[in-house]
Amino acid sequence: MSLPLEGLSAIVTGAGRGLGRAEALELARLGAAVVVNDYGQAGRDGSGEASAAPAEEVAAEIRAAGGRAVAHLGDVSDFETARGLVDLAVAEFGKLDVLVNNAGILRDRMVFSMSEDEWDSVVRVHLKGHFNTTHFAAVHWRGRSKAGEAGVYGRIVNTSSEAFLAGSAGQPNYAAAKGGIVGLTTSSALALARYGVTANAICPRARTRMTEDVFAGFAEPAAEGDLDPLSPEHVAPLVGYLASPAAAGVNGQLLVVHGGMVAVVDRPKVAAKFDTAKEAFTYEELDSVLTPHYASRPAGETFAASEVLGLKKG
């Protein structure tokens, strides 16, 4: 019996550790050949001995388990680095089938305290990084389709966040970038469907090196021998599914995933509509319809869907 991703090749960005590592290992377990991307370079371990770069260690782990993998070291927020990443997948495995965008950083601060660099760096790595790899993957798939190849297969899995859905007061840069990723995903889903490509986004909650401070008091680690409810291993299977042929009918969707739970997020809906009684609204008329409308709504309610933070298995 063949594996669901057998014969497919994948890129996972930010895959040297944490969530990206779990995703890369899962794609390989399901049969994909994987390009493991990470910004981290080779260094030295605690004893002073030379150590491999995290991406190389993950690629080696996949190969040791009988899979196919190659490491790519580089920052996907750089346009040409992203081009080289896609080129490497094609050179090593003949084509690219799956792109998982996971790479990211945190620079948390309140909006009144945030520096320009803290804003720019997070938006660059998350949002521009997602665009860069998506652009070159899309060029690859469209080119194959235009050349007459039948049955082009493409899957994009992007990484958004509950910080975008619920609003995160201390993460204006991160929330904005993650919201932008959802816009990029839905746009890409519509633009690329004709070429056999789907694009979806996930909002994972996982305890990793990047989020250890964020989730420090959110959920207690599991007892010894039990799986942490915030383990990346809860997220990776959904990425494997979205990358598979079984998910051909899933496109332009947003899913929240953590702790043994997957929630499908519905699109925004129009809550109310007002028409002017005249040719155009005046201030006075808007005051007469909008002020009572908002006065009747719960205090503090905004467009943010804070209820997603309460989702859990069971």
Side-chain angles (χ1 to χ4, degrees):
M1 182 176 179
S2 63
L3 295 170
L5 302 185
E6 189 171 322
L8 302 180
S9 66
I11 289 171
V12 183
T13 71
R17 301 181 178 88
L19 187 56
R21 173 183 175 273
E23 292 167 346
L25 293 175
E26 176 69 0
L27 294 182
R29 187 188 72 82
L30 295 174
V34 184
V35 179
V36 181
N37 160 266
D38 196 80
Y39 183 66
Q41 306 296 312
R44 294 190 177 278
D45 61 23
S47 65
E49 294 294 320
S51 62
E56 293 171 337
E57 292 177 344
V58 175
E61 186 175 353
I62 290 171
R63 292 193 296 268
R68 300 173 64 199
V70 62
H72 176 275
L73 309 184
D75 180 1
V76 293
S77 70
D78 179 79
F79 196 64
E80 291 305 317
T81 297
R83 184 200 302 272
L85 174 58
V86 173
D87 287 348
L88 177 62
V90 176
E92 287 286 327
F93 305 124
K95 58 185 172 62
L96 173 65
D97 301 294
V98 178
L99 170 63
V100 179
N101 282 310
N102 169 76
I105 61 172
L106 289 179
R107 299 289 185 270
D108 292 352
R109 205 172 297 276
M110 301 294 282
V111 69
F112 44 76
S113 303
M114 184 163 290
S115 69
E116 181 181 17
D117 181 66
E118 287 167 337
W119 173 272
D120 287 348
S121 60
V122 168
V123 172
R124 183 183 69 250
V125 174
H126 287 274
L127 185 53
K128 186 169 186 281
H130 272 61
F131 161 73
N132 287 346
T133 53
T134 298
H135 167 77
F136 288 111
V139 168
H140 170 69
W141 289 319
R142 181 174 180 268
R144 287 166 53 191
S145 179
K146 292 292 187 182
E149 182 178 337
V152 173
Y153 183 103
R155 297 285 188 271
I156 300 171
V157 182
N158 287 333
T159 306
S160 183
S161 171
E162 293 168 294
F164 149 68
L165 284 171
S168 181
Q171 297 180 303
N173 48 2
Y174 185 72
K178 292 305 191 181
I181 286 168
V182 173
L184 172 65
T185 302
T186 54
S187 174
S188 300
L190 292 173
L192 301 177
R194 71 186 70 179
Y195 305 118
V197 179
T198 66
N200 294 287
I202 63 170
C203 295
R205 191 186 300 177
R207 199 190 312 273
T208 67
R209 189 179 64 162
M210 188 180 84
T211 63
E212 59 187 352
D213 293 334
V214 176
F215 292 130
F218 202 91
E220 291 300 319
E224 186 175 352
D226 294 336
L227 185 62
D228 186 342
L230 294 184
S231 168
E233 279 68 31
H234 287 295
V235 177
L238 177 60
V239 173
Y241 167 75
L242 292 173
S244 76
V250 185
N251 193 30
Q253 302 300 309
L254 179 64
L255 303 98
V256 176
V257 54
H258 58 80
M261 179 217 74
V262 173
V264 177
V265 179
D266 203 0
R267 67 187 187 207
K269 290 182 170 61
V270 176
K273 176 179 174 290
F274 303 97
D275 296 322
T276 180
K278 305 172 184 178
E279 185 178 10
F281 272 111
T282 62
Y283 165 84
E284 290 78 12
E285 190 181 12
L286 287 170
D287 179 30
S288 73
V289 295
L290 289 179
T291 300
H293 170 72
Y294 283 106
S296 68
R297 297 179 67 170
E301 181 182 81
T302 72
F303 185 75
S306 57
E307 62 271 18
V308 300
L309 297 179
L311 292 173
K312 61 181 180 180
K313 179 183 175 184

